[in-house]
Amino acid sequence: MNQNHAGQGRFSGRTAIVTGASRGIGLAIAGQLVSEGARVCITARTAGPLEEAAAALPRDSVITVAGKADDPEHRREVFDSVAREFGGLDVLVNNAGINPASGSPAAPSAPDSAS
C-alpha cells in the first residue's frame, strides 16, 4: 500500500468510518482510505484487536471505538467521536456483520428419528 500521509489523494481532507475493521476486509479498506489521504475511525467489537489494527495505520490518521454495531449507544459514540476528533463525516463503510435473530449462526438440528 502506498502510504500517503501528506493529505494528498482522492480522499484528502475526508473522514471515514469503517465498521468491522479490526482485521480482514475492513482493515484493508481503512488502510486504503488512509493511503489515499483520509482520516478514519475504525470500529469492531473488542478493543484489543482493534488497537492492534490501529497500530498498523498512521497514528495521526486513525481513531478507534470498540463496541457492537447493533448497539445504538455504540453508534452514537462513534459519530460523536468522529465529530469531536475530525469535525465531520464524509464516508461510511458498513463492513460489520450481525445476526440480530440469534447473535450467532444457528446450530444444525438433528434429523427426526420417527419410523
Side-chain angles (χ1 to χ4, degrees):
M1 229 182 302
N2 176 22
Q3 296 293 321
N4 179 358
H5 314 301
Q8 298 175 342
R10 69 180 170 156
F11 290 101
S12 176
R14 308 241 191 232
T15 299
I17 294 171
V18 183
T19 67
S22 62
R23 59 188 171 94
I25 293 170
L27 181 55
I29 291 169
Q32 187 63 39
L33 287 166
V34 167
S35 77
E36 295 189 38
R39 299 166 301 179
V40 298
C41 173
I42 59 173
T43 73
R45 287 176 294 191
T46 52
L50 190 58
E51 292 301 325
E52 290 175 22
L57 300 170
R59 187 178 183 100
D60 61 343
S61 297
V62 63
I63 62 172
T64 64
V65 182
K68 292 184 174 183
D70 64 344
D71 176 6
E73 288 299 316
H74 168 67
R75 292 192 303 263
R76 185 173 293 107
E77 181 183 2
V78 170
F79 284 100
D80 288 349
S81 295
V82 167
R84 183 177 55 255
E85 296 294 323
F86 299 137
L89 178 66
D90 302 292
V91 178
L92 174 62
V93 179
N94 277 322
N95 181 62
I98 61 169
N99 183 347
S102 67
S104 64
S109 58
D112 277 343
S113 59
S115 330

